[in-house]
Structures are given as C-alpha cells and as structure tokens.
Amino acid sequence: MTITTHLMRTRRFLPLFCTQLLNAFNDNLYKTAMVLFVVYQVYDSADAEGMFSAVASGLFILPFFLLSALAGQLADMRDKAAIIRRVKFCEIGLMLIGASGLYLAWRGYDLPVSIPLGFTTIDTTFPIVLMLFALFLTGVQSTFLGPIKYAILPQHLRKEEVLAGTGLVEAGTYVAILAGTILAGWIPVEWAAGLIIVTSLVGYASARQVPSAPPLGEIERIDRHILRSSIALIRKTMHDRQIYYAILAISFFWTIGAVLFIQFPPLAKNVISASKEVASLFLVIFSVGVAIGSVAVNHLLKGTVSARFAPFAVIVMAGFVVAFWFVARIWPVPTEGPLLDVPQFLSVPMAYPLLASLLGIAVAGGMFVVPLYAFLTTRVAPEQASRTIAANNIVNSGAMVGGAVLAMGLTAIGIGITDQVLMSAGMCLISCWLARRLVRAERAAELPA
C-alpha cells in the first residue's frame, strides 16, 4: 500500500496511469454508445442488429491482426513515450470522426449505403459508415498502445514497484471500462459525442507528461512488410512451448468472448425485451466478473505464475454458458409494450439466474485467462516483451475476427442469437484441451535437466 500510494504521486507513473485510464474509458464510451444507439434506435431486426454488432467487433479487432507486428517492433525499437504522445494526438481526430457519426445519426441523417460482404450485403446509412470507420481507427490506436502499456513499466519503475504498478494499471483499466460502459448506457448519444472529444483532449495532455522511455538492447531494423513481419514475429515467439500454448489458449478464449460480446446487445433487446440500460448492465457485470476472477486466481496462486487452475476454470465457464443459454431459452415471451428498464427487468424472477450465470461466465473466464497473460511477460527477456505481447495480439485478433465472421455467418444462415451462445460452451472444451497441454509443458519445464 505504501508503494502504491507513493507511485500515484510520481511523474514516473501517474501520467501513464491517467493516460491509460482515459484511453480505456474513451474507447468503451464510444464503442458502447455506438452499438447501443444503432441496435436500439436504428435497426428493428434481430438479424440486422446481430450482423451490425459482428461487423463492429470485427472492424475493431482487425487492426490488431494486421498491425501488431509493426506495433511491437516500434515499441521495442523507439521511445515508447513518444509513440504514446503521437497516438494520443491522432485520437483527437478519430474521435471527431466518431462524434460526427454519432451526431448525424442522432439528427436522423440517413443517406443510404450498401456494404457488400461476399456472402451477404448490409444496408446501412452514411453516419453508421462514419462511426464504423472511426471504430476501425480506434482499433488502430489500441494496437499501437497495447504492447507499450506492459513493456514501459519496468523502465519507469524499480523492481519492487513493478507488481504494484501493474496492478494499478489493470485496476484503473477495469474502472475505466466500467465507467465508459455504464455512462454510454445512461447518457444521451449527443452528450456521448461531445464527451469523447473532451476526453481525447485531456488524454493527449496527460500523454505529454509521460517521461521518456528509450529502447532497450540493440536497435534492429524494422520490417514494415505486414505479412512477413507478422509471420516472423510469431515464429520467433512461439518456439517456447509454454508461450505457444498460452497464446493459443488465450486466443481461443477471446474467440468465445467475441461471440458472447457480439450477441449481448441484440439478445438483451430481442430475447429479453430489455432496454439499452439493461444491455449496458450485461457488459458491466461481465467486466466486474473478469476482475473478480483475476483477483481470485491471484489469491489461489499466491502470486506464482502457473496455469494449473486454467483447465478447471474453463470447464466451469462452459457450465455457466449452458446455464445462461438455458435461462435465455425459457425467458418469458415478451408482450407488446415498451422495453424493460432496469427495475422492471430485475422484477422478473428469471433475471437473477440470468445475471448469476453471466457473472459466473466472467469470473471463470478471468480465472482462466489472467495467469496465461503472465506467461507472456515472465518467460521472455525484457527487451522482447513488447514483441511477445504483439505476437499474442496477432493470434488473438485473428481468432476474434474469426469469431466475429463465424457469428455473421451463423446469423446469415438463420441460426438464432440464443443458439449461438450455446455454441460457445462447446468451444470451451477446446480451450480446456489447450490449457491442459500448457500445464503439461509447464510441468516439463520445471523438471531438472
């Protein structure tokens, strides 16, 4: 606690903490405000809403797949603080684009646009295209900031401060995600449009105070060829069996997460017959659950980096997914009338089993995935930490894009939102198999040579 209090008063840590907090808040405020507004105010079809949610998720994730190799190289070969400042300056422009889309949609500007996707076509409007473009740029921004968030701390903090600093950054990120998600569900969309611009300006001012973090080790040539550098980065990173299985297990977990997150808003509206505030509540409970799972598994492991609880955690997660699907299937058929607000939703007896199963999914998911992330920063040399995280981001994002495409394809062939949730339970079994392989690799590495 003394170290934590001390860090929050130092320039070595406080500007970085505030910049990361504001970035997470703004990302989630914009994404959630956009998705909830389109699902609840623009479309009136479960298929169209599910398709839009999948496209939005895919566009946000795609830059991680395309640009993570370049981002990881830059983070290890250039001043990390300088990269943060440039990216946060660009955020002002992209939030102006996103705010314009939100404002035009709110004013009812509906110039029609058709987007071909190979197997289907999405009929939408110019403001929505503008919002999706800004969301893609937000993904680009997060791609370049992601590796830096973890790799910069050992440069600014002493060895005994790194754990406390990492904990503060993670806690601040969760608080920011919750704040942005809750606020997006409760304030008018035109207010959200103004707030994301203000937050981007404050975030840039904070980023300018982050101390310099020059590269560590030998400066290597940066390969700007996206495909070649991505393949090379993954090859260099995945030769360690523990890192290999950790990345695969994390990636499959986020494939499941992508499918679930895509379905939450349309499921809340069309199956539960609930308002956007209830959809926001779903996302909040999911974030709280992941945070609880993170704390719980750290307590169980007593600070030791180990994957021994991961197979059990993901099986428990599968059980809660089945429970969530079952409750959604037997949810009372809504009658004609306005959507349920939060008090009305909570007055339905089935609401509490639904929320409990959702919380269980998130807690078990947090217990599964958090220890695996620790492998990425404790099993490699410090000067390669950013590239290891970037390699993980490439594989993760590819898996999440796959999950989004899968959700779009299932929607296009007529598989309902509720049944798509059940599919996630089956995918948990594959994650369990990968986690068991990781545990075996971990035990093998501990044996004397």
Side-chain angles (χ1 to χ4, degrees):
M1 182 62 69
T2 302
I3 292 176
T4 299
T5 305
H6 169 70
L7 286 178
M8 293 300 290
R9 297 197 302 263
T10 65
R11 192 186 166 208
R12 293 180 295 123
F13 179 77
L14 183 59
L16 176 68
F17 174 80
C18 292
T19 301
Q20 169 60 23
L21 185 146
L22 290 167
N23 192 73
F25 170 81
N26 220 24
D27 279 0
N28 283 274
L29 174 61
Y30 174 65
K31 286 188 294 184
T32 308
M34 180 194 71
V35 171
L36 292 180
F37 180 79
V38 172
V39 167
Y40 280 88
Q41 301 297 326
V42 178
Y43 291 130
D44 193 24
S45 160
D47 288 346
E49 292 154 10
M51 187 69 71
F52 171 80
S53 186
V55 169
S57 296
L59 281 175
F60 180 76
I61 298 163
L62 186 59
F64 288 91
F65 183 69
L66 298 176
L67 301 174
S68 284
L70 178 60
Q73 292 178 84
L74 286 172
D76 278 338
M77 302 301 162
R78 299 289 187 271
D79 190 310
K80 298 175 182 63
I83 296 174
I84 292 173
R85 287 192 290 271
R86 289 169 185 165
V87 171
K88 294 300 291 182
F89 178 76
C90 293
E91 182 190 9
I92 299 171
L94 73 89
M95 285 303 169
L96 284 169
I97 296 172
S100 299
L102 287 173
Y103 179 77
L104 290 173
W106 171 66
R107 292 301 301 267
Y109 185 77
D110 57 357
L111 179 68
V113 177
S114 294
I115 304 176
L117 292 176
F119 55 84
T120 188
T121 300
I122 296 180
D123 293 320
T124 184
T125 63
F126 175 72
I128 293 178
V129 171
L130 208 59
M131 288 188 283
L132 290 174
F133 178 58
L135 185 65
F136 175 79
L137 295 178
T138 302
V140 174
Q141 170 194 254
S142 297
T143 300
F144 282 93
L145 288 181
I148 296 174
K149 178 177 73 173
Y150 296 101
I152 197 173
L153 290 176
Q155 286 187 253
H156 284 170
L157 307 182
R158 292 186 287 272
K159 185 176 181 180
E160 65 274 14
E161 297 173 333
V162 171
L163 183 59
T166 304
L168 280 171
V169 169
E170 289 300 309
T173 300
Y174 278 120
V175 169
I177 289 171
L178 288 174
T181 302
I182 293 171
L183 203 57
W186 288 88
I187 66 173
V189 69
E190 66 271 23
W191 292 14
L195 186 55
I196 60 174
I197 296 173
V198 173
T199 306
S200 66
L201 291 169
V202 177
Y204 175 62
S206 174
R208 290 185 61 84
Q209 303 304 313
V210 176
S212 177
L216 301 171
E218 183 181 353
I219 303 298
E220 301 174 16
R221 177 180 170 271
I222 294 177
D223 186 354
R224 301 180 186 276
H225 189 287
I226 293 174
L227 181 60
R228 182 178 60 216
S229 61
S230 297
I231 294 173
L233 183 62
I234 293 172
R235 281 178 177 169
K236 289 179 182 177
T237 304
M238 305 272 273
H239 65 276
D240 185 303
R241 286 176 60 82
Q242 294 180 76
I243 296 294
Y244 173 76
Y245 283 117
I247 289 178
L248 288 183
I250 291 170
S251 298
F252 218 88
F253 170 82
W254 284 120
T255 304
I256 300 168
V259 173
L260 291 175
F261 262 85
I262 285 166
Q263 303 308 338
F264 281 161
L267 185 143
K269 178 186 175 185
N270 298 288
V271 177
I272 310 301
S273 191
S275 65
K276 68 172 185 173
E277 289 79 12
V278 176
S280 180
L281 177 64
F282 280 16
L283 298 175
V284 167
I285 287 178
F286 197 88
S287 297
V288 170
V290 171
I292 293 172
S294 305
V295 174
V297 75
N298 187 56
H299 177 73
L300 289 172
L301 291 172
K302 304 185 188 306
T304 303
V305 177
S306 174
R308 64 178 180 269
F309 291 119
F312 172 75
V314 78
I315 288 296
V316 171
M317 179 179 168
F320 279 114
V321 171
V322 173
F324 184 88
W325 167 82
F326 179 76
V327 176
R329 289 283 292 180
I330 64 173
W331 187 266
V333 177
T335 58
E336 292 296 328
L339 297 174
L340 302 175
D341 59 20
V342 173
Q344 291 169 334
F345 167 74
L346 295 176
S347 69
V348 178
M350 296 301 295
Y352 294 97
L354 188 75
L355 294 178
S357 58
L358 178 59
L359 182 65
I361 293 170
V363 171
M367 294 183 68
F368 171 77
V369 77
V370 167
L372 305 188
Y373 272 109
F375 275 83
L376 305 183
T377 54
T378 60
R379 298 296 194 269
V380 297
E383 64 271 15
Q384 296 189 8
S386 295
R387 279 169 285 181
T388 301
I389 296 165
N392 175 68
N393 288 345
I394 293 171
V395 182
N396 287 183
S397 56
M400 286 188 282
V401 169
V405 171
L406 177 62
M408 291 163 57
L410 293 174
T411 300
I413 63 176
I415 296 179
I417 296 170
T418 307
D419 291 332
Q420 290 183 37
V421 171
L422 181 61
M423 179 189 64
S424 301
M427 295 167 68
C428 288
L429 299 179
I430 301 176
S431 290
C432 179
W433 177 77
L434 290 170
R436 285 179 60 83
R437 301 282 294 185
L438 173 59
V439 171
R440 290 175 185 171
E442 179 186 355
R443 289 172 179 167
E446 292 171 353
L447 295 175

